[in-house]
Amino acid sequence: MVEPKVQGNISPVGENKPRIDAREKVTGAAVYADDIQFGNGLLHARIKRSPHPHALIKKIDVTKARALPGVKAVVTGEDFPGYIGLYLQDRYIFCRDRVRYVGDPVAGVAASSVEIAEQALDLIEVEYELLPPVLDPEFGAGAEAPLLHPDLGKYVVANFIFPQAGTNISNHFKIRKGDVDGAWEQCAAVVERKYRIPHIQHVPIETHVAIAKVEVTGEITLWGSSQSPFAQRNLIAQSMGISQSKMRVIAPFVGGGFGCKAGVSMEALAVAIATKVKGHPVKLVLTREEEFYTAFVRQGLVAYFKIGCDAQGRLLAMENKFYWDGGAYTEYGVNVTRASGYSSSGPYEVPNIKTDSCCVYTNHPVGGPMRGFGMPEMHAGLEQCIDELALQIKMDAVDFRRLNCLKTGSSLVTGSRMHPTGLPQCIEKAADAIGWGRKAPASAPNKRRGKGLALMWKAPAMPPNAGSSAWVELAEDGSLNVGVGGQDLGQGVFTVAAQMAAAALGVPYESVRVAIPVDTRYSPYEWQTVASRLTWSMGNAIVNAAKDARRQILETVSAAWEEPIENLDIVNGVVISFKSEKEVPLKNLVIYGLPKPDGQGWRGGPIVGRGNFMPTYVTGLDPETGQGERAVVHYTTGAQAVELEVDLETGRIDILRGVSAFDVGKAINPELVKAQMEGGFVQGMSSALFESLQLKGGVLQNPSFVDYRIATSTDAPKDLEAFIVEVPQDDGPWGARGIGEHSMVPTIPAIANAIYDAVGIRLDGPPFTAEKVYLAMLDAGIVK
């Protein structure tokens, strides 16, 4: 079979829009515009939530709520005994015995209006017995902390997660490589630091929303703003004890996700309530305030680093302890903990390393996946330590990284070898673009200017059997329909899907249409839209589906023309022969086939290609040492550099320039890749300078945009540069690998290192607010 040919950018840069007709636009976008689609039977749901961080539920009385006119159902955990969770099944849909954070769902109401549902919540009487809360992960990991999940040892858990029964540690991931204790005496310089990274929110513009309908037959349909329709189908069905075939999830376009709409959060609540009002769709929308603390938040982290090098700057030893604040339930947090463990060396070759990465239950909001999946938090401290080590031995920080960074064939923290990587090129591009080693004057006498640089690496954090599938189908006019189960969150994955299908089959990009919305009844299976894996994993499935269709087409034409397939190709939607110079447009054969000679019938028929992909080569890791043959599918690597100014009078930081350079293997769509680099930089900058969930006694103090600051266009640097490095990935389509999350990973330490370069101070964690910076300068005697 002739392989599809790709030269340069797979499609013209100016054509980066998925082909969606007006009908599809309505189907994909109008689900939440109004309630017309669901008719007068639509009910509205609201949730009674715990006001306490930790308490036993002694009694729930819903009598008055049920008697309120307009209330159609009131449900509690009594009706739903099943556990739910992705990697660790540790929570009920509605609380049954105790509450574990402020916002834990205790009861749900369905009513004819939102206002009536809210009134009913006030009529639900809950009697609690308060329990002491756990509000710090380091304390929570100790023997003196109150036990938050007494049944931890009985929970269903993935076989690569290691909960510690009888403690608050839901996963303890270990790395033991080399002789760490023996290496310290060989070190010429050692840095020991502690960093604390706060919880932050994803703050998507569209809050969580779900509409569930249960038919009298028991069939369930869930419409949701979701990154994980297939995972939701599976997990909700499992929890409720029904067949997955009776559960259908429809997921239109998502108005922002960044990880918070992965897995299952509030969607199961809507389904549970809908089971009590069969035939009626039930709509549940999180308010902005609820979005801040009842949806997933990014986990907090207390991190200890000890890193040493010899006199020439070669890294010799590293010892890390991570206490992840997983919150009340850690179905996703346990895998964040694992990912930080098997990546705990950072993008460096370190011969001796010891890591203990612990996911700890606390009475804080539920920690879940967020862009970067633990890597921004872990790199925040590690990359500052690298700068400090270089300073101790009087070595330039970029030279130090050049010496120690991972290169093709380097020994990794898990004992395997690094695949081909362009990390050294990324360092050079970022350093050159920022003008490393050249000091520019500040813009005013009261300001100081500095530059900083940081590296990163990140693998797709997923189970070893996370699969993708796709189908392609040709229509009578030769146009191509592509079915995928991945979700477009604004990152442009449908555009890339169309590009890859077009290139693999040999048709114009303009003739490709992606079938939306994602619907688990009709769309091909996709594990989840997480881990920056769709271009790579779903892309492989699309290519395989297109190759399958291509094979069918060429076999039909080969038989009709009596020519070997090797002589044939598909170019711009036309089958051509290099030998006989015959040609036939696809539209003439992909439905009805081609006639046999002398009226003896037809050959071929409707063309439908199918493809799948699963990385069968990922191996397990030893639970005591974290060593193994291949822990992950691959790593994306990169570097960022910043130039900033610090105002000595106020502590305000202005980011003047930002530079990103990442090895993406192959940029399927260079403009979309650069957009991810730029957007990730700004989001990373936001988490570095502004964002923090202020929790006091387990109660969130800033659940609104009034008090929770995020970066806006006015904060973004005017000068943002993005450089694409392409060292192909062996198992990626055209060598591609992901870039969606990675551009947010090194931003915090790059900014922290630039602050030190400017004014000589270091803080123990973000956000680097003007107040904190000014007070630190005051303490250091830099200002008076």
Side-chain angles (χ1 to χ4, degrees):
M1 164 179 168
V2 179
E3 289 293 319
K5 300 173 179 60
V6 180
Q7 296 180 347
N9 189 15
I10 289 182
S11 80
V13 171
E15 298 171 352
N16 292 332
K17 295 181 179 179
R19 293 182 58 81
I20 307 167
D21 65 20
R23 176 178 53 79
E24 289 171 325
K25 288 181 180 178
V26 170
T27 303
V31 173
Y32 310 125
D34 51 46
D35 302 334
I36 294 175
Q37 176 178 345
F38 299 98
N40 295 330
L42 179 71
L43 301 178
H44 299 271
R46 296 297 294 139
I47 306 300
K48 180 77 171 180
R49 300 184 181 278
S50 167
H52 307 295
H54 193 202
L56 295 178
I57 299 174
K58 306 302 289 184
K59 180 182 178 183
I60 303 177
D61 187 346
V62 300
T63 307
K64 295 178 183 177
R66 282 185 173 145
L68 183 67
V71 170
K72 305 302 180 182
V74 180
V75 301
T76 67
E78 213 174 60
D79 303 305
F80 305 100
Y83 285 100
I84 193 168
L86 184 64
Y87 297 103
L88 174 66
Q89 295 179 17
D90 63 352
R91 64 183 171 96
Y92 297 114
I93 294 176
F94 285 98
C95 299
R96 289 171 58 84
D97 55 348
R98 70 171 73 195
V99 294
R100 293 181 172 91
Y101 73 101
V102 174
D104 223 351
V106 176
V109 173
S112 55
S113 71
V114 175
E115 293 76 16
I116 293 174
E118 289 281 3
Q119 292 175 38
L121 296 186
D122 294 335
L123 297 176
I124 298 174
E125 298 174 358
V126 186
E127 181 183 329
Y128 296 98
E129 179 184 323
L130 300 187
L131 297 173
V134 173
L135 304 174
D136 179 85
E138 192 172 1
F139 168 73
E144 297 180 359
L147 200 59
L148 303 188
H149 284 261
D151 294 330
L152 175 58
K154 301 177 183 178
Y155 293 157
V156 175
V157 62
N159 63 5
F160 49 84
I161 303 298
F162 307 111
Q164 308 295 299
T167 76
N168 289 320
I169 300 173
S170 56
N171 188 26
H172 183 181
F173 184 89
K174 302 175 185 177
I175 289 289
R176 303 290 187 268
K177 180 184 179 184
D179 180 10
V180 175
D181 293 335
W184 296 120
E185 61 186 25
Q186 303 173 40
C187 293
V190 176
V191 169
E192 291 189 69
R193 293 289 180 267
K194 175 184 178 182
Y195 296 93
R196 184 177 290 272
I197 312 299
H199 294 285
I200 65 173
Q201 236 301 327
H202 310 67
V203 290
I205 297 302
E206 175 204 43
T207 64
H208 279 70
V209 56
I211 300 174
K213 184 179 181 182
V214 180
E215 305 290 351
V216 293
T217 60
E219 300 279 333
I220 298 173
T221 303
L222 171 67
W223 294 263
S225 179
S226 172
Q227 297 178 226
S228 309
F230 289 91
Q232 288 179 354
R233 177 185 67 177
N234 183 42
L235 296 175
I236 295 174
Q238 281 184 358
S239 179
M240 301 186 71
I242 64 172
S243 168
Q244 285 86 347
S245 64
K246 287 193 172 185
M247 178 87 196
R248 178 186 182 189
V249 180
I250 301 172
F253 284 128
V254 175
F258 310 110
C260 71
K261 293 174 183 173
V264 177
S265 54
M266 52 76 80
E267 298 82 10
L269 300 174
V271 174
I273 296 170
T275 63
K276 303 303 180 183
V277 286
K278 290 183 178 179
H280 289 271
V282 175
K283 182 176 183 178
L284 177 61
V285 182
L286 294 190
T287 66
R288 176 57 64 184
E289 182 174 344
E290 286 177 313
E291 186 75 25
F292 269 101
Y293 67 95
T294 70
F296 285 136
V297 302
R298 191 174 80 177
Q299 294 190 131
L301 173 64
V302 177
Y304 291 86
F305 295 94
K306 182 179 180 181
I307 309 177
C309 67
D310 62 21
Q312 288 71 47
R314 181 72 67 179
L315 286 170
L316 296 180
M318 185 179 293
E319 185 170 352
N320 306 323
K321 293 181 182 179
F322 302 147
Y323 297 97
W324 291 93
D325 188 337
Y329 307 100
T330 62
E331 59 156 312
Y332 239 119
V334 290
N335 201 35
V336 174
T337 298
R338 182 175 187 266
S340 67
Y342 62 61
S343 304
S344 56
S345 65
Y348 301 102
E349 186 166 14
V350 185
N352 307 288
I353 183 165
K354 176 183 178 181
T355 298
D356 290 280
S357 184
C358 297
C359 188
V360 184
Y361 285 120
T362 69
N363 294 114
H364 283 156
V366 179
M370 185 174 176
R371 191 177 194 178
F373 209 75
M375 296 303 102
E377 303 94 288
M378 189 269 289
H379 283 75
L382 189 149
E383 280 295 292
Q384 292 187 69
C385 291
I386 293 295
D387 256 36
E388 291 195 66
L389 265 182
L391 184 64
Q392 276 197 31
I393 63 168
K394 297 180 173 55
M395 187 174 184
D396 177 78
V398 169
D399 289 338
F400 190 95
R401 289 177 168 87
R402 287 188 182 108
L403 176 66
N404 289 288
C405 77
L406 292 171
K407 304 167 183 71
T408 302
S410 292
S411 176
L412 302 183
V413 60
T414 55
S416 58
R417 293 288 171 180
M418 185 64 179
H419 55 73
T421 177
L423 182 56
Q425 296 97 299
C426 294
I427 296 173
E428 300 307 319
K429 289 183 179 296
D432 289 347
I434 206 69
W436 190 262
R438 301 191 297 274
K439 194 79 171 180
S443 63
N446 64 316
K447 295 186 177 182
R448 297 291 181 269
R449 186 172 290 206
K451 296 177 181 179
L453 183 141
L455 309 187
M456 64 73 61
W457 71 333
K458 183 190 179 300
M462 62 187 199
N465 59 342
S468 300
S469 59
W471 53 256
V472 300
E473 179 182 37
L474 286 111
E476 290 87 344
D477 60 358
S479 63
L480 183 67
N481 292 313
V482 179
V484 294
Q487 184 61 284
D488 200 310
L489 315 177
Q491 81 280 40
V493 70
F494 290 162
T495 298
V496 171
Q499 288 181 258
M500 290 193 286
L505 183 59
V507 299
Y509 167 77
E510 295 79 7
S511 69
V512 180
R513 184 188 304 269
V514 177
I516 58 172
V518 176
D519 184 334
T520 59
R521 179 170 292 176
Y522 304 111
S523 301
Y525 176 83
E526 181 62 55
W527 177 61
Q528 293 188 90
T529 302
V530 296
S532 304
R533 55 182 287 282
L534 288 194
T535 296
W536 163 74
S537 182
M538 193 177 81
N540 274 322
I542 292 168
V543 169
N544 289 337
K547 287 181 176 179
D548 185 37
R550 181 184 177 90
R551 174 189 57 77
Q552 297 173 50
I553 293 167
L554 295 184
E555 285 178 354
T556 298
V557 176
S558 173
W561 292 352
E562 298 181 345
E563 291 192 46
I565 286 180
E566 291 73 20
N567 291 350
L568 306 179
D569 198 0
I570 304 175
V571 179
N572 289 324
V574 177
V575 181
I576 62 173
S577 168
F578 297 119
K579 185 175 182 180
S580 66
E581 298 187 355
K582 292 181 180 179
E583 62 179 51
V584 58
L586 291 181
K587 65 181 181 180
N588 291 358
L589 69 100
V590 293
I591 295 296
Y592 303 112
L594 292 174
K596 294 180 181 178
D598 303 321
Q600 297 302 308
W602 293 72
R603 57 169 51 89
I607 300 296
V608 179
R610 57 179 296 275
N612 60 21
F613 175 76
M614 189 175 77
T616 57
Y617 37 78
V618 177
T619 61
L621 299 176
D622 186 286
E624 294 301 319
T625 66
Q627 302 300 288
E629 184 178 344
R630 187 165 180 175
V632 299
V633 291
H634 59 251
Y635 283 94
T636 295
T637 58
Q640 273 183 351
V642 300
E643 184 173 17
L644 55 74
E645 284 187 336
V646 180
D647 190 319
L648 299 179
E649 295 176 352
T650 64
R652 175 187 167 89
I653 295 170
D654 288 314
I655 308 296
L656 305 177
R657 300 178 62 209
V659 177
S660 299
F662 289 88
D663 175 15
V664 301
K666 169 66 179 179
I668 301 296
N669 188 310
E671 292 305 307
L672 289 180
V673 168
K674 289 182 178 180
Q676 287 298 310
M677 291 189 196
E678 294 167 358
F681 180 93
V682 173
Q683 191 170 16
M685 180 192 77
S686 185
S687 68
L689 299 183
F690 307 123
E691 296 186 51
S692 174
L693 290 175
Q694 302 295 325
L695 291 156
K696 293 184 180 179
V699 180
L700 182 62
Q701 306 298 302
N702 58 333
S704 76
F705 287 130
V706 174
D707 298 309
Y708 188 93
R709 172 92 152 85
I710 62 172
T712 67
S713 58
T714 60
D715 301 300
K718 295 180 180 178
D719 188 355
L720 271 177
E721 289 186 86
F723 294 94
I724 295 172
V725 173
E726 295 179 307
V727 175
Q729 183 63 39
D730 59 353
D731 63 348
W734 295 280
R737 51 181 169 261
I739 184 58
E741 301 170 89
H742 310 81
S743 52
M744 186 177 172
V745 172
T747 319
I748 293 175
I751 289 174
N753 290 336
I755 292 171
Y756 183 85
D757 184 51
V759 293
I761 63 165
R762 288 198 182 273
L763 303 174
D764 65 357
F768 310 133
T769 62
E771 179 183 15
K772 286 170 66 174
V773 171
Y774 181 81
L775 291 176
M777 292 191 296
L778 198 63
D779 290 342
I782 297 169
V783 297
K784 297 181 180 179

